[in-house]
Amino acid sequence: MSSARTTPRASHDEDAAGAAAGGGLLTYTSLVDGKSVPSDQWVYVVDSDALLKDAFSSLTLKRKLESGRLTPEEAPGDSIVGRVARADSETVVQAVEAASRASVEWNAFPLDVRLDQFGALLHRRLAEQADRTIEILLREGHPLELARWQVSGALECFSPESLAFYRSQMLHETRHGDRRISVRRRPDGVVCLNPPQNAPLSSALLGVTSLMAGNSLVVRAPRSAPLGVMYVLHEVVAPVLAELGAPGGTLNVVCGDPAPMLSAWLDSPLVDDIMYFGSSEAGVRFQERCVAAGKKPILELAGNDAVVVWKDADLEYAAEALTESFYGSGQLCMIPNQVVVHPDVVEPLVALLAEKAAGIRGGSVREEGVLLTPVLRNEKFFACLDDALAGGAELVCGGHAMQDDGTRSPTGIFLEPTVVLVRGLAGAREIQAVRHETFFPLLPVIAAEPAPDAVLLERFVEFVNSNAYGLRNSVWARDPEVVDQFVTRITKGGLLKVNDSHIGFLPGLPTHGGTGLTGGVYGEANYPILRTSHIQGVSVSGGGIRPRDAVFGAWHAMRAAAAGTPDA
């Protein structure tokens, strides 16, 4: 097969490519084998502004709709913006079976179709649908700035530079005499993806890169935030696959409860890889279940990212990057979670950080500049803050719940961006907010004990590398020798950035992936096209090589070189 088919397969229904009308609601069914699969059970998405005005009533309305005690027509006003079919167990099985049937045929497509053409078409369609994608994310409750951030990451993931990098890793070819030698990556088969609820759309698109390796894909849209996943897979990815003539089961998407679906994937002999997002504690247990079931676990777990600020850092820019800790109320895995600061610049950095944190606010997701999201249960935040203060940390700013207008209130659904100052590296990890990911807008700044710079550099490197987690790390420093030391010696984590946004996306670099409690025992930078494939070596000869000569080829070459004679 040398080129893409120009006619889509008939298995891709028109209504599977977009939203169906459902009483005025944006409505999506399951997508299995290119067909729309209906259901008599639905997951409803509450309007984010309605949730902001009255969270209790909005969530009560959602429960009534999903239990069948209320119909969509009976819902007040515009409080419900969409619904997604809830897949039953039979549909879940059908999705895996469809993926299994499709995987062999899709893998037979040449790499320039699966990777180059698919990636380029997808990038173009993502760009064309960027405004619509942002609108869907807004409906689901993602603040405008964070919706733009997700779309930006998706565009970088499929940018020409990223596609070129993927291509370089998928196939390497050389000549050895009469032989054509290649090292190539082959697909694992059926990949199942369980994205998180905090940024499911971008995580689903990350998993889509596994298709470029020749795998087929089954995605579970999370019940708490299914709309973006369903939209981008139904209306952006599936039409591109259809245009290339991919079999219908190449991509399947269902929505349902995580526990039974994960168990079904583990029990199925047709599933090869499972990409799992979740807490480190749950993820490590799931990893053991995967290995026992013969599946490859690809884990995206908690992050506890460290930022180093050296004495010559641009403090203005560093402080701005550190405020990324508060984006989404800290409920993103790849944000700064702890800061290690050279003792010479602690005070000015903390002052700048507090000043900038004061400008981070909550509100309607459609407002420019809103970066905080509601935190409906905040008792863990206050317990973590109390632990830090009891351990000797100093409260720099924040520490209260507040209303969307910034007014402090015990019943507020937003949390103030909070900074605590921890004095001394020694014993810093006795504080819970330093030792573990908090998933709240709570950032500990650790002021290192005064010491010569050579000693401090050693301590900073050791502190970062001894982190039990390892998603992203970043460094702020100007001295080239200091930068080189950090780049050379920081080995933990899937990504290291220097003098840059901690959460910003760059072409060719991973968006996810890490070591330790972030990625499990197989953890590394997560390029799903690579992690859902395996290396295979291939040698193709024209047939003119005697096997015995091949067996001892290197020996003969060595002897000929030693004798100074041509290798016969």
Side-chain angles (χ1 to χ4, degrees), residues 310-312 315 341-349 448 450-451 453 456:
W310 198 246
K311 67 178 183 181
D312 62 348
L315 297 185
V341 187
H342 193 287
D344 289 359
V345 294
V346 170
E347 304 308 326
L349 177 69
D453 283 351
L456 285 172

Side-chain angles (χ1 to χ4, degrees), residues 203-218:
S203 299
L205 283 172
L206 174 70
V208 164
T209 64
S210 66
L211 294 175
M212 296 190 293
N215 299 291
S216 56
L217 183 64
V218 179

